[in-house]
Amino acid sequence: MTVILTPAEIDRIRSQLSSDGGDLKVRRLAVAALDEIEACEGDIEDAAIGLAIQAGMTPDTSDRWLDGLAKRCRPAICQSSVKQELLQDNINLAVNALAEAGICPVSLVAPVVIYVWKTGVETFCEPLDYKIL
């Protein structure tokens, strides 16, 4: 499944990331990731693969690579406070929270968060809502 950001969504997220709040380095890397997404015509997966290669990772080019990376970050993303921020379309605070968790390279935090936001945080976090009896 290809996930595309519209130009309006890119502008709205850029505005959020440009506001004060959070670590300046994280914000700069998030804006750079958003620039990459924009250069890839809104395709989050293509941008994330390019950013991963720049970070020294060797991602496969399947359509599910970003989904797999996001799933590895699921415990941090689905924390109540982060989940609530995403449900309120607040990308900036979720990006900062995931960066602080240190689970994935900081240059990939924004694409992961945006991917989860765009595909639906409730559905994404649903597996953690089930408890094994």
Side-chain angles (χ1 to χ4, degrees):
M1 168 178 79
T2 302
V3 181
I4 304 291
L5 282 181
T6 66
E9 289 170 328
I10 291 171
D11 288 344
R12 188 170 75 233
I13 294 168
R14 187 182 317 280
S15 176
Q16 278 188 33
L17 294 172
S18 298
S19 68
D20 290 335
D23 183 272
L24 182 59
K25 178 184 176 189
V26 171
R27 285 196 343 244
R28 284 184 179 158
L29 287 170
V31 169
L34 196 59
D35 290 343
E36 185 71 18
I37 292 169
E38 187 172 43
C40 291
E41 298 179 355
D43 189 320
I44 301 168
E45 181 94 27
D46 282 354
I49 288 172
L51 291 166
I53 291 168
Q54 291 173 21
M57 298 172 76
T58 53
D60 63 39
T61 55
S62 76
D63 288 340
R64 306 300 292 164
W65 181 81
L66 183 57
D67 185 62
L69 179 62
K71 285 178 181 173
R72 288 192 293 278
C73 301
R74 194 182 331 238
I77 294 169
C78 296
Q79 288 179 16
S80 179
S81 59
V82 178
K83 184 177 172 182
Q84 287 306 312
E85 293 300 333
L86 286 175
L87 288 170
Q88 296 172 16
D89 298 336
N90 191 339
I91 305 299
N92 192 23
L93 293 177
V95 164
N96 282 300
L98 186 55
E100 286 176 19
I103 295 173
C104 67
V106 179
S107 60
L108 291 169
V109 167
V112 167
V113 168
I114 293 167
Y115 172 81
V116 171
W117 169 73
K118 189 77 171 152
T119 58
V121 69
E122 289 285 359
T123 303
F124 180 80
C125 292
E126 191 173 287
L128 294 183
D129 293 337
Y130 295 113
K131 299 202 185 236
I132 299 174
L133 301 175

